């Protein structure tokens, strides 16, 4: 049991078909041949078949299916891990990936967050209170407009200022120039304010382009980077994190929602497993439709004790209002970074935006002071 | 119009909310700020906002929404293309990516298949008839067992023998050894038979590992490679195809089904756009639930005239039976490669399997002869 990968699927299959479907899915995720073909090879029969651990019909219909799958195939590389977890299974409309548990042998193959919540807090010099973040957008701003925007947010006291995820190496704000100038701004404001403000550029493109951007960004001394793991591919995200990044990484959920994987499992757990220090997700009460329960579970998955992995910092986002800071902190607790873009950016860059950012930061400090010592979630 | 990316979404949103939802989705896929923030910057207002081209309520409920999105953001790199196409939109449960059309300026950024159907046919020396493929599985076979299996299929006359997608660089059949020995077998049988049989190893892992495997595979002279673009990430797939591969590439659908993107658009169109020469998909009548209509459209998307892109060869798979060869050819026509694994592999490796493979090949030849000159689809 301890040496197997345990995966839980939710099946929307009529009760009379569940047994056969479960056996077929077990074959699909392991040997992908008729059972008789697999059984006639001793090494396969003994080590690579997996087994059904639980098949429980659910009240509202469908079933919960737990499989144990062989580590021999899942551990061989990060792409194979995903393949065993949900490769062909994803092609079945009736299957949802609900959750998974790794045995220690498999955990050793994954980095988890390199900084985690504690590391990010140390990095930013904010030991205790909830953190704030905002975004440089819309894409299409000129370099000078970007710089004014970045300065306004930095002077307002926002902890982390990230690129919008639509930024690439655009002619109107080339990557290197963008990084140089935004980083200059946050360093200058940081020096004056006597505390660290982090600028996180968005890395985007093919692997060679992303590695080029990562090198430039780190050379200019950025304090973090933004990456969308599902756009770039999780195996590349793994390599980027384990081999190339020296700074914390924020994971953006772009292209991730379409996966028939529970959001708390994909964003809260898989992204953490692959090394995200901070996980951005669309929170309840914004432009997206994740429920409060989903958001609670997602934050829980990101922060709960899990093997030797550091906790990842949840960043509720996607249409969060400045005025909701207190509510969000009461819900998510101290170990959270509020990522607020549009609601801040309604204010014009310059003194108006700086003041609005400052008001946000103050309301976060107040809300944190009002929190009981235990986290809200 | 000609310089914009046109994207069609299917919305499951009540009719009274469709207008507001469409406007919100347009902002989501472009500037991702409140409209007022975007409008106050002239460069953004003029070039980066996109527009709603069509919003048509559908009879059964929901709506069809066509947006024109700016090429300025979509063209900057392959990851940004996906971001604009379905990045944040994918996080909305009510949105399905139905289809898209590229303007010529954007098409120039993508390779499409390097070989295409004609190139693959030339490569294999099969100008006209439907083609056959099978798989080396289950994972867990020893090197010697793999070689016997590979030889049986090659001697049976199968055109293309691919690794199962669960193969990685396993201790029980290390990548280099597997490639060397399987390639030896197909070369030897090819030489004797006087026609080319292709072995396609599966490339899996992080980008650096996949590039290492690609280099080894091409050094040993393999005739094709198998890759799962959604597992590895489409931007890396793009880079692999445009920079590193000299042989045709088969795209495997693993991890792809979970995307809330119509299968014909994702597998038939996006994979082709990114450079797949051969596209494997779960066909009707097998282990998966794609309908005949979906399979027809998928094959159509893969093969239809489309800009300067070569057609990609469809490989119906996922539980195809040897006995269905004729039916599949009548349905898919000549330009198809039947990928049959388990149904062949029920026969024991050696003379029994060779005979079963040969029977398949003969039935393909017969079915092709019975086809009228026009393709069936």
């Amino acid at each position: 049991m301890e040496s197997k990968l345990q995966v839980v699927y939710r099946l929307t299959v009529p009760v009379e078909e569940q047994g056969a479907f479960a056996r077929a899915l077990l074959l699909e995720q392991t040997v992908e041949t008729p059972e008789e073909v697999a059984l006639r090879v001793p090494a396969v029969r003994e080590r690579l078949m997996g087994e059904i651990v639980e098949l429980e019909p659910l009240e509202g219909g469908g079933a919960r299916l737990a499989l144990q799958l062989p580590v021999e195939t899942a551990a061989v590389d990060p792409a194979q891990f995903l393949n065993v977890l949900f490769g062909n299974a994803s092609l079945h409309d009736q299957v949802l990936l609900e959750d998974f548990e790794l045995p220690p042998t498999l955990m050793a193959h994954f980095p988890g967050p390199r900084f985690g919540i504690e590391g990010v807090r140390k990095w930013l010099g904010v030991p205790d209170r909830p953190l704030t973040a905002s975004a440089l957008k819309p894409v299409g701003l000129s370099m000078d407009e970007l710089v004014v925007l970045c300065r306004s947010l930095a002077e307002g006291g926002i902890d982390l200022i990230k690129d919008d995820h639509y930024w690439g190496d655009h002619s109107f704000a080339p990557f290197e120039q963008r990084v140089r100038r935004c980083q200059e701004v946050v360093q200058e404001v940081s020096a004056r304010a006597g505390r660290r403000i982090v600028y996180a550029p968005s890395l985007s493109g093919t692997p060679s382009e992303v590695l080029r951007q990562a090198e430039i960004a780190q050379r200019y001394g950025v304090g973090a980077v933004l990456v969308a793991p599902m756009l770039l591919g999780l195996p590349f995200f793994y390599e980027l994190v384990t081999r190339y990044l020296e700074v914390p990484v924020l994971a953006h959920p772009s292209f991730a929602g379409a996966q028939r994987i529970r959001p708390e499992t994909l964003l809260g757990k898989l992204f953490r497993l692959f090394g995200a220090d901070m996980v951005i997700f669309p929170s309840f009460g914004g432009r997206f439709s994740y429920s409060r329960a989903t958001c609670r579970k997602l934050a829980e998955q990101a922060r709960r004790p899990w093997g030797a992995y550091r906790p990842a910092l949840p960043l509720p986002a996607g249409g969060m209002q400045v005025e909701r800071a207190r509510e969000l902190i009461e819900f998510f607790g101290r170990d959270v970074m509020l990522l607020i873009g549009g609601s801040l950016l309604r204010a014009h860059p310059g003194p108006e935006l700086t003041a609005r950012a400052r008001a946000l930061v103050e309301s976060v400090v107040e809300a944190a002071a009002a929190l009981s010592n235990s986290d809200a979630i």
Side-chain angles (χ1 to χ4, degrees), chain A residues 30-310:
Chain A
T30 52
V31 292
E32 212 202 334
T33 59
E35 194 163 9
E36 60 180 270
V37 175
L39 288 176
R40 69 189 175 209
V41 186
V44 173
R45 188 173 62 228
E46 283 154 28
R47 295 187 308 164
L48 295 166
M49 298 284 290
E51 59 181 295
I52 296 172
V53 181
E54 187 193 328
L55 176 60
E56 194 190 315
L58 297 172
E59 270 195 26
R64 185 180 185 277
L65 169 66
L67 299 182
Q68 282 190 351
L69 300 174
V71 164
E72 282 84 348
T73 43
V76 77
D77 71 55
Q80 283 303 319
F81 172 72
L82 295 175
N83 213 355
V84 171
L85 196 67
F86 202 49
N88 277 14
S90 80
L91 300 168
H92 289 284
D93 281 348
Q94 311 95 313
V95 182
L96 173 79
L97 173 60
E98 189 151 301
D99 201 357
F100 62 90
E101 293 301 332
L102 309 180
T105 48
L106 193 49
M107 290 187 101
H109 288 260
F110 288 95
R114 291 157 306 132
F115 290 80
I117 293 179
E118 202 187 327
V120 169
R121 285 190 172 285
K122 270 194 198 146
W123 193 253
L124 287 161
V126 181
D128 188 57
R129 69 160 163 79
L131 299 139
T132 55
S134 191
L136 299 179
K137 59 188 180 182
V139 68
L141 295 177
S142 67
M143 267 316 312
D144 289 343
E145 289 164 334
L146 263 179
V147 164
V148 174
L149 183 58
C150 188
R151 181 179 299 279
S152 307
L153 292 167
E155 289 182 344
I158 299 295
D159 296 304
L160 185 147
I161 299 164
K162 72 165 193 67
D163 276 353
D164 184 42
H165 71 295
Y166 285 117
W167 286 107
D169 193 5
H170 288 285
S171 54
F172 40 87
F175 184 81
E176 179 155 3
Q177 201 183 336
R178 206 165 77 237
V179 167
R180 181 170 56 75
R181 296 201 49 196
C182 292
Q183 182 58 21
E184 265 172 25
V185 169
V186 299
Q187 279 178 344
E188 184 207 313
V189 179
S190 293
R192 253 191 296 127
R195 56 181 202 80
R196 186 163 200 177
I197 299 159
V198 161
Y199 164 59
S202 173
L203 311 184
S204 169
T206 60
S208 66
E209 173 62 17
V210 167
L211 294 181
R212 185 185 75 87
Q213 293 174 6
E215 190 277 320
I216 292 171
Q218 295 187 134
R219 178 150 45 81
Y220 281 105
V222 304
V225 295
L226 175 78
V227 167
M230 298 308 282
L231 270 187
L232 299 189
L234 283 169
F236 174 47
F237 180 66
Y238 172 97
E239 191 158 274
L240 180 70
V241 165
T242 53
R243 284 208 199 171
Y244 298 98
L245 290 186
E246 294 149 18
V247 298
V249 61
L250 288 103
H252 191 286
S254 179
F255 208 52
Q259 295 287 345
R260 205 163 45 245
I261 304 179
R262 277 202 196 287
E264 60 266 32
T265 300
L266 181 59
L267 303 178
K269 201 164 175 181
L270 258 179
F271 279 18
R272 178 182 175 192
L273 182 68
F274 274 71
D277 296 290
M278 294 170 262
V279 179
I280 300 172
F281 63 96
S283 178
F284 65 93
R287 299 195 305 274
F288 299 85
S289 54
Y290 287 12
S291 68
R292 295 170 70 94
T294 295
C295 292
R296 178 175 286 121
K297 281 187 222 144
L298 199 159
E300 211 173 272
Q301 290 286 18
R303 300 188 298 202
R304 75 189 170 101
W306 187 28
Y309 300 136
R310 295 186 175 86

